[in-house]
Amino acid sequence: MVNRVYLIGRLGADPEVRYTPDSTMVVNFRIATDESYKNRSGEKVSKTEWHRIVVWGKLAEICGNYLGKGALVFIEGKLQTRTWDDKEGNKRSVTEILASGMKMLESRRSQGGDDSRDPEPLPDDDVPF
């Protein structure tokens, strides 16, 4: 069996950085993926899907330091569903991508941000598609 997700999308907001009681960093952010197609009547239809991303440890540190709203990223990970009871006793659940890899697909300069900490550009043969 395989549980593997690959996404390319843009961050909807700056990452949220938090720490567990034992000082492990966890970063959460959402990315949007777009798709467009023509429906049966020939009209162009655009659809945006939002994905919750969770990142732990060293990769979380990199995401927290280098990613910002609008960043174009490649995310690799697996689907994870969490369930809990809310304050009113209702069952709640959320499905998220637990990231194991991330690549920035453009420089901070092209995002309109501060480029003083830009990573080296990706070589053409290193892009996963």
Side-chain angles (χ1 to χ4, degrees):
M1 291 182 259
V2 176
N3 179 358
R4 184 63 42 203
V5 176
Y6 302 98
L7 296 170
I8 296 176
R10 291 196 182 274
L11 273 73
D14 290 340
E16 175 188 328
V17 178
R18 295 178 297 134
Y19 294 89
T20 64
D22 69 352
S23 299
T24 302
M25 183 185 270
V26 60
V27 171
N28 298 84
F29 55 91
R30 292 174 19 128
I31 66 170
T33 56
D34 296 325
E35 114 180 72
S36 56
Y37 58 92
K38 289 189 179 182
N39 63 16
R40 290 184 180 176
S41 61
E43 299 169 354
K44 185 178 178 182
V45 178
S46 294
K47 182 178 177 183
T48 301
E49 289 286 336
W50 287 94
H51 311 274
R52 294 174 181 261
I53 312 296
V54 179
V55 190
W56 292 88
K58 183 66 176 170
L59 186 57
E61 191 176 321
I62 293 167
C63 290
N65 287 334
Y66 292 98
L67 296 182
K69 181 178 179 177
L72 182 64
V73 294
F74 168 79
I75 298 291
E76 178 179 359
K78 66 180 183 177
L79 285 176
Q80 164 182 283
T81 301
R82 295 184 295 118
T83 59
W84 70 95
D85 293 328
D86 67 14
K87 293 177 184 176
E88 289 81 37
N90 299 314
K91 283 264 188 225
R92 306 282 298 195
S93 69
V94 64
T95 301
E96 22 190 47
I97 289 88
L98 183 57
S100 58
M102 181 277 300
K103 289 193 181 192
M104 295 172 276
L105 299 179
E106 62 187 5
S107 69
R108 295 186 123 206
R109 186 179 6 243
S110 23
Q111 296 172 34
D114 172 21
D115 65 344
S116 61
R117 297 183 293 177
D118 270 347
E120 291 296 315
L122 293 172
D124 289 338
D125 61 343
D126 199 23
V127 178
F129 47 88

